[in-house]
């Protein structure tokens, strides 16, 4: 019973599957039934048509057999009569040939005449031993000789069009004229027409400049000149090449008229012809490019070069055997780009020089003292922005040479060497090096007439420092982003240029300190050398030159402070402005309060001073300064006070001369200590000045400190 139940279950499942299968394929069964029914109908119709076709074929076969039976006796006779008729028509054509040729020549249907003669030439040559055919041959040859003469005259005529020339050459070749002579005549005729185009371009350029040449008319722009050359000379050259190749090189060798040797000969003549004329054309194009002196927008030049290069590609495709055209054309574009880069470099250098000239004029113009520094800061911002904008403009102009829509930008030079060696190294890096080199040259004009203004030295030092800190990196990054070259040749590193700029900035700042120090020193030196220190009166005031020194140092402090940061100072003592001076140097003051080694005998102060100097810190007067205001002012004050000290050592002083130096040094101490990084440096140098004055004094009696302070406060 379980087996039966299982079997019933399977039977039901199979019935269900079968029912599902029938339902799912019902449409297919219906479609198959319709197709079978349609096929039965179509086959029945096709059988009827085949029966009809068999009946028709039987009728046709029967009719053909009847015709063959009827004409069987006359077939050979009809064939013979047909051959005689054809021969008679040929003979009639031959006898009428001279008249036909004359008629064609009268109607100027030269091509038809040549075709008639070509059709009959072999027959006349074959039967020339027969008198009648020989006469016809002579008449035809005479007529065709006259026709060949007419064609040559038309070929040599300068007013003939290219189509007429091609027709003449084709007919002459069919008449058996020598191909080499025709090549030479065709090229000679083409040369005359192409040279007219070259003469027109030469007239457009005018005569080359010379000592006796008249003024040339103004040149048209480079794009217009290129259009004239491309539409005139290059276009006509392409027509000449195409016509020549169709006639002599690519012409099918029908009838043995053109052989491979003739084609090679014609091709060699064409290459030589085109290379010669294109060389002259390239010379004219280069002359026009050299005359393009403007350094503004390069769009016209680039468009002109692009059109020139694009049209040359047509010549290259027509004449692949000439490598000169392609190579020289690309070289002209490359040389034009290189010349443009050189002009832009000169323009940047000239712009930089003009900026410096404007700065010098601005600094030389009379101004109030308070406006000098402010204007210097404004000038720095203006010069820096102007130079950067000019560099950006030049990069934008040069970038046109690598635009995607320019045909020659795909050349290897413009993808590699132009970007790395041309723009980056030849233009940008060279300009930055020129800036640094020019700035360093301003350090070589000390003491000469027209020496560099100190303000310009300070401005240039800050400009070079700004370039080292940020501008160089920004410009080179901008250049690398715009000109992504595929050239892997070595380039100048940013760090090298930054080091060069920092070196120039350091040299300029050192020179600025030296110049300003010498300016202040000059006043101090003259004030010492022009005074009679032995017979001077008792001091009642601070000398005017000391007030001028303090004023100049203050002015320099303001000027430098607007371009450089403050810098680091050592902590000042509370009595910096109240320090007093004696006739002893600082080293001797320390010795005065030390235990005496020989109380009963006076101490040899000169010997003690020299011993103490061996252990004191050495002051480097002309040491390099740092890029901050305090360091700059310290350097200037060191040079000034050192000069003062050396001048004092060369003079002899009386009592009042010593006292005047005391007053002057006290006045300088009141003001100069606040400008330097370490006030002890000022103290030390002023101590040395007073001590040296005491050494050179014949009657070393010092002034009371209270009196000195009163005089300085009153001053």
């Amino acid at each position: 019973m379980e087996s039966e139940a299982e079997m019933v279950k399977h039977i039901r499942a199979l019935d269900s599957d079968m029912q599902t299968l029938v339902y799912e394929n019902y449409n297919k069964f219906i479609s198959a039934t319709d197709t079978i029914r349609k096929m039965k109908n179509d086959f029945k119709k096709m059988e009827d048509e085949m029966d009809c076709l068999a009946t028709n074929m039987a009728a046709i076969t029967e009719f053909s057999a009847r015709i063959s039976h009827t004409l069987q006796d006359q077939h050979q006779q009809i064939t013979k009569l047909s051959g005689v008729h054809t021969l008679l028509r040929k003979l009639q054509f031959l006898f009428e040939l001279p008249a036909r040729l004359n008629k064609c020549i009268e109607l100027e249907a030269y091509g038809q005449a040549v075709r008639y003669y070509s059709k009959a030439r072999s027959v006349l040559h074959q039967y020339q031993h027969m008198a009648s055919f020989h006469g016809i041959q002579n008449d035809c040859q005479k007529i065709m000789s006259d026709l060949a003469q007419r064609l040559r005259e038309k070929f040599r005529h300068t007013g003939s069009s290219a189509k007429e020339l091609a027709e003449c050459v084709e007919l002459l070749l069919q008449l058996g004229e020598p191909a080499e002579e025709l090549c030479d005549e065709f090229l000679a005729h083409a040369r005359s027409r192409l040279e007219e185009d070259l003469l027109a371009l030469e007239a457009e350029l005018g005569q080359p400049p010379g000592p006796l040449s008249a003024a040339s008319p103004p040149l048209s722009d480079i794009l217009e000149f290129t259009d004239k050359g491309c539409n005139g000379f290059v276009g006509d050259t392409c027509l000449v090449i195409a016509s020549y190749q169709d006639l002599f090189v690519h012409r099918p060798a029908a009838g043995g008229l053109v052989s491979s040797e003739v084609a090679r000969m014609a091709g060699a003549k064409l290459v030589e012809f085109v290379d010669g004329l294109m060389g002259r054309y390239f010379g004219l194009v280069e002359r026009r490019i050299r005359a393009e002196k403007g350094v503004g927008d390069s769009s016209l030049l680039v468009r002109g070069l692009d059109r020139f290069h694009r049209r040359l590609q047509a010549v290259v495709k027509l004449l692949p055997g000439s490598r000169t055209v392609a190579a020289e054309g690309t070289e002209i574009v490359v040389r034009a780009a290189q010349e443009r880069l050189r002009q832009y470099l000169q323009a940047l250098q000239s712009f930089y020089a003009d900026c410096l000239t404007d700065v010098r004029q601005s600094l030389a113009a009379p101004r109030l003292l308070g406006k000098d520094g402010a204007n210097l800061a404004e000038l720095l911002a203006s010069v820096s922005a102007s130079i950067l904008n000019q560099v950006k403009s030049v990069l934008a102009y040069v970038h046109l040479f690598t635009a995607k829509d320019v045909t020659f930008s795909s050349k290897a030079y413009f993808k590699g060497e132009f970007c790395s060696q041309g723009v980056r190294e030849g233009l940008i890096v060279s300009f930055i090096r020129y800036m640094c080199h020019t700035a360093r040259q301003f350090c070589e004009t000390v003491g000469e007439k027209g020496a560099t203004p100190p303000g310009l030295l300070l401005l240039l030092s800050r400009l070079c420092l700004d370039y080292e800190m940020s501008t160089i990196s920004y410009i080179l990054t901008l250049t690398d982003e715009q000109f992504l070259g595929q050239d892997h040749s070595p380039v100048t590193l940013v760090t090298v240029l930054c080091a060069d700029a920092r070196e120039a900035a350091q040299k300029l700042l050192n020179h600025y300190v030296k110049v300003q120090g010498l300016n202040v020193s000059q006043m101090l030196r003259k004030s010492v050398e022009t005074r009679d220190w032995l017979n001077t009166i008792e001091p009642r005031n601070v000398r005017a030159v000391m007030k001028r020194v303090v004023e100049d140092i203050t002015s320099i402090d303001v000027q430098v402070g607007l371009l450089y940061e403050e810098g680091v100072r050592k902590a000042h003592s509370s009595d910096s402005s109240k320090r007093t001076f004696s006739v002893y140097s600082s080293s001797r003051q320390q010795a005065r309060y030390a235990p005496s080694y020989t109380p009963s005998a006076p101490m040899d102060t000169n010997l003690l001073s020299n011993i103490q100097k061996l252990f004191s810190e050495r002051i480097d007067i002309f040491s390099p300064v740092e890029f901050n205001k305090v360091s700059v002012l310290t350097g200037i004050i060191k040079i000034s006070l050192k000069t003062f000290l050396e001048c004092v050592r060369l003079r002899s002083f009386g009592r009042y001369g010593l006292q005047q130096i005391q007053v002057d040094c006290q006045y300088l101490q009141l003001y100069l200590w606040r400008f330097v990084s370490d006030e002890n440096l000022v103290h030390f140098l002023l101590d040395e000045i007073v001590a040296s004055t005491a050494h050179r004094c014949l009657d070393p009696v010092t002034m009371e400190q209270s009196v000195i302070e009163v005089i300085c406060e009153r001053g």
Side-chain angles (χ1 to χ4, degrees):
M1 290 175 69
E2 288 178 358
S3 300
E4 182 183 3
E6 186 71 21
M7 186 179 298
V8 170
K9 184 178 179 181
H10 284 306
I11 290 171
R12 288 176 180 174
L14 289 173
D15 289 341
S16 176
D17 292 342
M18 185 177 297
Q19 188 176 7
T20 302
L21 183 64
V22 171
Y23 287 158
E24 288 178 353
N25 294 279
Y26 180 75
N27 289 333
K28 295 180 182 179
F29 292 150
I30 298 299
S31 178
T33 304
D34 293 341
T35 302
I36 292 170
R37 186 181 300 113
K38 187 176 180 181
M39 287 176 64
K40 287 181 179 180
N41 294 333
D42 290 344
F43 276 118
K44 184 176 181 181
K45 185 178 179 180
M46 189 181 296
E47 287 177 359
D48 296 340
E49 290 178 354
M50 291 298 292
D51 292 341
C52 181
L53 180 61
T55 304
N56 291 336
M57 289 298 296
I60 291 171
T61 303
E62 182 182 356
F63 187 68
S64 176
R66 215 166 37 232
I67 291 174
S68 298
H69 179 72
T70 304
L71 298 177
Q72 185 175 5
D73 297 335
Q74 300 177 357
H75 179 70
Q76 294 180 353
Q77 187 178 359
I78 290 172
T79 303
K80 183 177 180 182
L81 289 174
S82 177
V84 171
H85 177 71
T86 302
L87 180 60
L88 288 175
R89 288 182 62 186
K90 290 182 178 180
L91 290 174
Q92 183 183 4
F93 176 79
L94 290 176
F95 284 116
E96 292 177 355
L97 184 58
R100 284 173 180 260
L101 294 178
N102 286 326
K103 187 67 175 177
C104 289
I105 291 174
E106 288 177 7
L107 297 175
E108 295 186 353
Y110 301 138
Q112 186 67 33
V114 172
R115 283 194 294 274
Y116 286 158
Y117 179 71
S118 299
K119 187 186 296 184
R121 178 165 48 187
S122 60
V123 177
L124 291 174
H125 180 71
Q126 184 178 355
Y127 296 102
Q128 64 180 343
H129 58 280
M130 300 175 65
S132 57
F133 287 101
H134 185 69
I136 294 172
Q137 185 184 28
N138 289 338
D139 292 342
C140 291
Q141 285 180 346
K142 183 179 179 182
I143 293 170
M144 298 313 293
S145 177
D146 294 339
L147 176 59
Q149 187 63 30
R150 287 193 180 192
L151 290 174
R152 283 187 176 275
E153 290 176 359
K154 187 177 181 181
F155 182 73
R156 297 188 184 100
H157 183 56
T158 55
S160 301
S161 65
K163 184 177 180 181
E164 291 172 342
L165 286 175
E167 183 182 3
C168 289
V169 171
E170 185 174 0
L171 295 177
L172 288 170
L173 285 174
Q174 291 179 10
L175 291 175
E177 295 292 326
E180 187 170 357
E181 291 183 9
L182 292 177
C183 289
D184 292 338
E185 288 192 22
F186 184 89
L187 293 179
H189 182 271
R191 182 184 297 276
S192 63
R193 299 192 59 182
L194 293 176
E195 284 183 344
E196 290 178 3
D197 295 335
L198 292 176
L199 290 175
L201 291 177
E202 287 183 355
E204 185 79 16
L205 285 176
Q207 295 294 330
L212 301 177
S213 60
S216 299
L219 294 175
S220 59
D221 63 61
I222 184 69
L223 184 59
E224 183 180 349
F225 178 84
T226 308
D227 279 341
K228 287 182 179 179
C230 291
N231 296 333
F233 174 78
V234 178
D236 290 346
T237 301
C238 290
L239 289 176
V240 168
I241 294 173
S243 301
Y244 183 92
Q245 288 179 334
D246 289 341
L247 293 174
F248 301 108
V249 180
H250 300 153
R251 177 182 173 83
L257 292 177
V258 178
S259 63
S260 58
E261 290 78 8
V262 172
R264 283 197 293 270
M265 176 273 300
K269 283 182 176 290
L270 180 61
V271 169
E272 182 181 358
F273 169 80
V274 172
D275 286 350
L277 288 176
M278 292 302 290
R280 289 179 56 188
Y281 173 62
F282 289 155
L284 295 176
V285 172
E286 285 211 276
R287 275 180 57 190
R288 180 61 188 85
I289 292 173
R290 285 196 296 269
E292 196 74 9
K293 298 296 185 183
V295 289
D297 191 359
S298 293
S299 58
L300 278 180
L301 175 63
V302 173
R303 286 169 59 196
L305 291 174
D306 178 48
R307 199 159 298 177
F308 164 77
H309 188 268
R310 194 186 299 270
R311 289 301 297 269
L312 281 185
Q313 302 312 303
V315 180
V316 173
K317 289 180 181 178
L318 285 172
L319 196 64
S322 174
R323 298 181 180 179
T324 306
V325 175
E328 187 62 26
T330 303
E331 279 299 314
I332 287 176
V333 177
V334 169
R335 286 196 291 269
Q338 292 172 343
E339 176 64 19
R340 201 63 169 173
L341 289 177
R342 188 185 63 80
Q343 291 176 0
Y344 277 130
L345 177 59
Q346 290 181 347
L348 285 175
Q349 293 172 349
S350 177
F351 181 81
Y352 177 63
D354 292 341
C355 287
L356 297 186
T357 302
D358 293 341
V359 171
R360 295 186 74 147
Q361 291 176 351
S362 300
L363 293 174
R367 288 189 182 88
L368 297 175
L369 182 64
K371 292 187 177 181
D372 256 347
N375 283 329
L376 192 63
E378 293 171 5
L379 285 173
L380 173 63
S382 174
V383 168
S384 181
S386 299
I387 294 174
L388 186 58
N389 289 334
Q390 193 71 9
V391 170
K392 288 181 178 179
S393 300
V394 167
L395 286 176
Y397 295 150
V398 174
H399 191 259
L400 296 174
F401 283 93
T402 60
K404 292 182 179 179
D405 58 343
V406 176
T407 55
F408 56 77
S409 65
S410 60
K411 296 294 181 182
Y413 171 78
F414 288 97
K415 284 186 174 181
E417 186 179 347
F418 176 78
C419 297
S420 63
Q421 300 302 316
V423 178
R424 191 186 193 279
E425 296 297 309
L427 181 62
I428 301 302
V429 173
S430 296
F431 175 62
I432 294 174
R433 289 189 183 279
Y434 172 81
M435 286 183 62
C436 297
H437 175 70
T438 304
R440 283 193 292 267
Q441 285 183 330
F442 285 108
C443 302
E444 301 171 1
T445 57
V446 179
E448 298 177 7
K449 187 177 180 180
T452 307
L456 179 59
L457 294 173
L458 189 64
L459 183 145
L460 287 176
S461 70
R462 184 68 210 191
L463 180 66
C464 290
L465 186 63
D466 289 342
Y467 266 69
E468 183 265 339
M469 295 173 66
S470 61
T471 310
I472 290 177
S473 178
Y474 171 74
I475 291 176
L476 289 181
T477 302
L478 183 66
T479 304
D480 293 338
E481 289 176 353
Q482 292 187 11
F483 298 90
L484 295 173
Q486 300 175 359
D487 187 27
H488 301 292
S489 55
V491 294
T492 305
L493 298 177
V494 176
T495 53
V496 174
L497 292 177
C498 290
D500 195 15
R502 190 174 186 86
E503 179 190 351
Q506 184 69 63
K507 191 171 182 180
L508 284 163
L509 195 59
N510 292 343
H511 191 61
Y512 172 79
V513 170
K514 186 177 179 180
V515 169
Q516 292 287 45
L518 291 179
N519 289 339
V520 177
S521 299
Q522 189 77 356
M523 291 189 295
L524 292 171
R525 184 178 66 82
K526 289 182 179 179
S527 71
V528 174
E529 292 178 350
T530 57
R531 192 179 184 96
D532 184 4
W533 293 100
L534 291 173
N535 301 314
T536 186
I537 61 175
E538 184 178 0
R540 291 289 180 264
N541 294 297
V542 178
R543 286 189 299 149
V545 68
M546 297 302 162
K547 298 178 182 179
R548 177 65 185 277
V549 167
V550 173
E551 289 174 359
D552 285 0
I553 296 294
T554 304
S555 175
I556 293 170
D557 179 74
V558 173
Q559 188 182 60
V560 176
L562 286 163
L563 297 184
Y564 284 100
E565 293 75 16
E566 181 71 23
V568 180
R569 302 174 187 270
K570 290 186 179 181
H572 295 153
S573 63
S574 58
D575 61 344
S576 297
S577 60
K578 298 180 180 180
R579 181 181 173 87
T580 60
F581 299 96
S582 70
V583 295
Y584 301 103
S585 67
S586 57
S587 57
R588 280 180 235 157
Q589 288 183 2
Q590 298 170 8
R592 282 170 53 189
Y593 301 103
S596 176
Y597 297 107
T598 55
S600 59
M603 181 181 292
D604 187 351
T605 57
N606 190 26
L607 176 61
L608 184 59
S609 172
N610 290 332
I611 293 174
Q612 186 66 25
K613 284 180 181 180
L614 293 175
F615 299 96
S616 63
E617 184 178 354
R618 180 178 177 272
I619 298 176
D620 190 357
I621 302 299
F622 292 101
S623 60
V625 296
E626 298 176 2
F627 294 104
N628 58 67
K629 183 178 72 171
V630 171
S631 180
V632 172
L633 269 294
T634 301
I636 295 171
I637 291 173
K638 282 195 298 184
I639 294 174
S640 304
L641 296 183
K642 182 65 174 177
T643 303
F644 193 11
L645 174 61
E646 296 303 324
C647 291
V648 164
R649 287 174 174 171
L650 297 176
R651 304 288 292 178
S652 296
F653 294 85
R655 175 193 301 178
Y656 297 133
L658 170 61
Q659 294 176 2
Q660 183 66 60
I661 294 296
Q662 280 185 283
V663 172
D664 292 345
C665 288
Q666 180 65 26
Y667 182 78
L668 292 178
Q669 168 60 29
L670 288 174
Y671 295 99
L672 296 187
W673 65 271
R674 68 192 69 191
F675 296 118
V676 297
S677 58
D678 185 4
E679 61 181 282
N680 292 326
L681 184 143
V682 175
H683 298 161
F684 177 80
L685 289 173
L686 291 175
D687 283 348
E688 288 294 325
I689 292 170
V690 174
S692 296
T693 305
H695 287 168
R696 301 291 298 173
C697 183
L698 303 179
D699 184 14
V701 177
T702 60
M703 180 178 286
E704 291 293 333
Q705 183 61 30
S706 59
V707 179
I708 294 175
E709 292 177 0
V710 170
I711 294 175
C712 290
E713 290 173 2
R714 190 174 59 199

